[in-house]
Amino acid sequence: MTLNIGQRIDGRYGELSPQEQRAADFILDHMSDLAVYNASELARLSGVSKATVSRLFRRLGFQDSAEVREHARALRSLGAPLGGPGASAGTPSRLAAHAETEQDNLRRLLVTLEDGRLDAAARLVCSAQNVVIVGLRNSYPLALHLRQQLVQARDQVRLAPLPGQSLGEELAGLGPRDAVVLMGFRRRVSGFGDIVAAIRRREVPLVLIADSSARKYSDQATHWLECPVDSVSAFDSYATAMSLVNLLATGAMGARVRESRTRIAAITSVYEDLEELEAPW
């Protein structure tokens, strides 16, 4: 398994000279910017010589700063967190860049939805006999939130896999009258393609929600909803994904307004019987 630059630094940190450690510390604290720095800029910003930076790169197994930048871009495209405790996240320029990236993500999502695919996915989720929402790793919180919203509008909505359980028992028995909503954001499990194939073999309609790295699976989905997760920070951003969850659940509720209102009223009545919710006043 190829180690990323952070792991290489951690593994050899004790062998580095004090000046090399200084440069390495800067790299670890600013990995989200590593893809744009050359050796001269890294030397200036970390307060060491360019020769020290070049020597550090060679000790870590890189030929030059160009290879390091390419390595950093590859890590970011895979969704690997880049950054460290010293990376400044709250400066005005960082906050402005963050806001602009989030807005751009949302704009890009909304453009792709103009062809009616969101409404088609909502109608499928609304009309299916059973709906199973699958989310693993980073996708699990999104799947959980979608399930919580959909269950307000309809019954027979399940989340899979449950903690400590597997997917087989959740997918068994599903057929063409059911639907699976599969979240597939990057850094997916290695068997993600097998999950897609298993769903399709059973002829279960599939709504696939993921970032652009999952396009290779899009032709196997009944409805493909691509959601940008670009970020200027160390981690992918799921703000736009949460907006998409909101839109999908709202669309499903709107497709069966009377049934949804009846179910919401019934749920509210149970809330009151159990005194589960804090009074709003």
Side-chain angles (χ1 to χ4, degrees):
M1 179 179 179
T2 303
L3 299 179
N4 64 43
I5 189 170
Q7 294 168 324
R8 298 185 197 189
I9 290 174
D10 290 340
R12 304 196 64 176
Y13 192 83
E15 304 172 10
L16 304 178
S17 70
Q19 289 295 91
E20 290 171 342
Q21 288 180 347
R22 185 171 181 175
D25 289 339
F26 181 86
I27 289 172
L28 289 174
D29 288 345
H30 298 82
M31 284 183 64
S32 59
D33 300 318
L34 192 58
V36 298
Y37 288 148
N38 59 33
S40 297
E41 291 168 326
L42 284 172
R44 177 176 57 82
L45 293 168
S46 59
V48 302
S49 69
K50 181 180 177 182
T52 297
V53 172
S54 297
R55 187 167 57 251
L56 172 63
F57 287 162
R58 289 194 297 271
R59 288 173 70 101
L60 297 176
F62 299 101
Q63 291 184 355
D64 50 32
S65 62
E67 186 177 357
V68 172
R69 290 197 301 272
E70 185 60 32
H71 174 74
R73 293 189 190 102
L75 287 176
R76 198 67 191 87
S77 68
L78 293 173
L82 295 180
S88 177
T91 62
S93 60
R94 282 280 188 169
L95 294 175
H98 174 80
E100 178 57 34
T101 302
E102 295 289 3
Q103 293 168 12
D104 183 60
N105 284 346
L106 186 57
R107 284 192 292 265
R108 289 160 56 197
L109 168 68
L110 297 179
V111 167
T112 68
L113 302 180
E114 291 176 352
D115 62 1
R117 67 180 65 191
L118 174 64
D119 291 337
R123 288 193 296 270
L124 171 62
V125 169
C126 171
S127 62
Q129 185 172 348
N130 297 282
V131 177
V132 176
I133 305 171
V134 179
L136 299 163
R137 290 181 51 81
N138 294 347
S139 298
Y140 185 82
L142 297 165
L144 179 63
H145 188 59
L146 178 58
R147 186 265 172 190
Q148 182 58 26
Q149 301 310 302
L150 286 180
V151 80
Q152 306 296 316
R154 53 157 300 159
D155 56 9
Q156 301 301 320
V157 181
R158 306 199 307 268
L159 178 68
L162 295 176
Q165 301 300 309
S166 55
L167 273 174
E169 54 267 37
E170 301 295 343
L171 299 181
L174 296 181
R177 299 179 62 186
D178 305 306
V180 170
V181 180
L182 177 60
M183 304 281 191
F185 289 92
R186 61 193 183 186
R187 305 201 87 187
R188 294 175 291 275
V189 296
S190 58
F192 187 82
D194 295 331
I195 296 172
V196 174
I199 294 169
R200 297 306 294 154
R201 279 197 302 271
R202 286 156 181 79
E203 299 183 351
V204 183
L206 172 62
V207 178
L208 178 58
I209 301 176
D211 63 276
S212 60
S213 67
R215 285 177 185 167
K216 59 186 176 182
Y217 304 112
S218 63
D219 61 345
Q220 300 180 63
T222 310
H223 302 295
W224 160 239
L225 304 178
E226 182 175 320
C227 187
V229 292
D230 295 349
S231 173
V232 297
S233 65
F235 302 96
D236 285 343
S237 172
Y238 297 97
T240 299
M242 279 295 190
S243 290
L244 178 56
V245 165
N246 181 300
L247 290 170
L248 180 59
T250 300
M253 182 176 291
R256 46 183 293 162
V257 175
R258 181 174 299 177
E259 296 89 338
S260 297
R261 288 175 178 169
T262 300
R263 180 167 173 80
I264 290 171
I267 292 171
T268 301
S269 177
V270 178
Y271 283 158
E272 293 172 351
D273 290 344
L274 298 177
E275 299 182 354
E276 287 188 310
L277 301 183
E278 182 181 52
W281 52 80

